[in-house]
Amino acid sequence: MAKVYVFDHPLIQHKLTYIREKGTGTKEFRELVDEVATLMAFEITRDMPLEEIEIETPVSKTTSKVLSGKKLGIIPILRAGIGMVDGILKLIPAAKVGHIGLYRDPKTLKPVEYYVKLPSDVEERDFIVVDPMLATGGSAIEAIHSLKNRGAKHIKFMCLIAAPEGVEAVKEAHPDVDIYIAALDEKLNEKGYIVPGLGDAGDRLFGTK
Ligand code: URA
């Protein structure tokens, strides 16, 4: 069964408060999302495999640990997911970045894929799918399906704020995908917004309305 990790690090929680605050302007909002993405990347990479190599310090020969070359892919769900990419790349600069775009069909209300561009070696990579908000879970579930259909085997999902409904939906659809969040909020409202949430993440990141 999928595990859900809530990153309650004080720095993450502090920055998240100002991300939520409605008076926070676009520039600061973007910077804070970027910083929280970096801090979350630090936590989410805890299980990265290491190997010993031989090195020489100015004092003696020794063996020391380096990352064992695991290939990573970051997949932002368009468009708000883009706001988390640079923050993750600060810690994992060699990661490849794919994109998945989805829109909601006005009749069925189901997410429909309109854009997918992934690294060519999907089967060899571990993926982190990112979207600031996990609301109903529809987009996350579809994006993860899309990655799996193209051969991805190891996928994590990372977001800033999740609604309980979305967490349950992703866990049920993808029990093999662990979920990493900065805050688990109360509920979804009738318009599909997370309460208390932060509003529309895409609009706040890109200054649109
Ligand atoms: N997407 C958002 O940007 N905000 C929400 O509250 C829910 C979905």
Side-chain angles (χ1 to χ4, degrees), residues 80 104 131-136 161 163 185 187-189 191-204:
R104 193 197 288 231
D131 196 349
M133 308 301 273
L134 177 58
T136 61
I161 300 178
D185 274 11
K187 60 175 183 186
L188 288 177
N189 70 13
K191 290 185 181 150
Y193 280 98
I194 299 177
V195 181
L198 53 72
D200 188 300
D203 281 347
R204 294 198 64 191

Side-chain angles (χ1 to χ4, degrees), residues 72-103:
L72 276 183
I74 304 164
I75 310 291
I77 300 178
L78 302 179
R79 73 184 155 141
I82 289 174
M84 298 175 75
V85 172
D86 284 351
I88 302 172
L89 286 175
K90 280 185 193 129
L91 292 192
I92 323 169
K96 294 269 177 12
V97 181
H99 294 86
I100 296 182
L102 304 160
Y103 71 90

Side-chain angles (χ1 to χ4, degrees), residues 34-196:
D34 182 76
E35 288 168 14
V36 170
T38 304
L39 294 167
M40 292 184 79
F42 180 73
E43 298 276 4
I44 205 172
T45 48
R46 257 179 204 289
D47 61 352
M48 278 177 107
L50 292 167
E51 63 187 5
E52 296 263 352
I53 60 164
E54 289 184 9
I55 59 162
E56 206 171 334
T57 76
V59 181
S60 74
K61 288 190 173 172
T62 187
T63 58
S64 195
K65 294 185 175 77
V66 291
L67 294 171
S68 75
K70 191 105 197 138
K71 292 178 167 186
L72 276 183
I74 304 164
I75 310 291
I77 300 178
L78 302 179
R79 73 184 155 141
I82 289 174
M84 298 175 75
V85 172
D86 284 351
I88 302 172
L89 286 175
K90 280 185 193 129
L91 292 192
I92 323 169
K96 294 269 177 12
V97 181
H99 294 86
I100 296 182
L102 304 160
Y103 71 90
R104 193 197 288 231
D105 184 295
K107 287 207 186 89
T108 64
L109 300 182
K110 295 241 156 63
V112 181
E113 202 175 271
Y114 67 85
Y115 185 78
V116 180
K117 187 77 184 176
L118 302 177
S120 54
D121 51 358
V122 174
E123 289 171 19
E124 293 162 36
R125 282 185 188 270
D126 288 0
F127 287 96
I128 308 173
V129 176
V130 296
D131 196 349
M133 308 301 273
L134 177 58
T136 61
S139 302
I141 290 169
E142 198 50 42
I144 295 166
H145 271 311
S146 178
L147 265 179
K148 286 183 175 174
N149 289 342
R150 289 169 174 84
K153 293 181 189 72
H154 301 110
I155 303 171
K156 294 175 176 177
F157 179 79
M158 177 170 129
C159 68
L160 300 183
I161 300 178
E165 297 89 327
V167 171
E168 285 314 307
V170 174
K171 276 168 74 176
E172 194 176 323
H174 297 291
D176 56 320
V177 174
D178 289 342
I179 301 169
Y180 299 79
I181 63 187
L184 181 61
D185 274 11
E186 199 185 315
K187 60 175 183 186
L188 288 177
N189 70 13
E190 62 292 344
K191 290 185 181 150
Y193 280 98
I194 299 177
V195 181

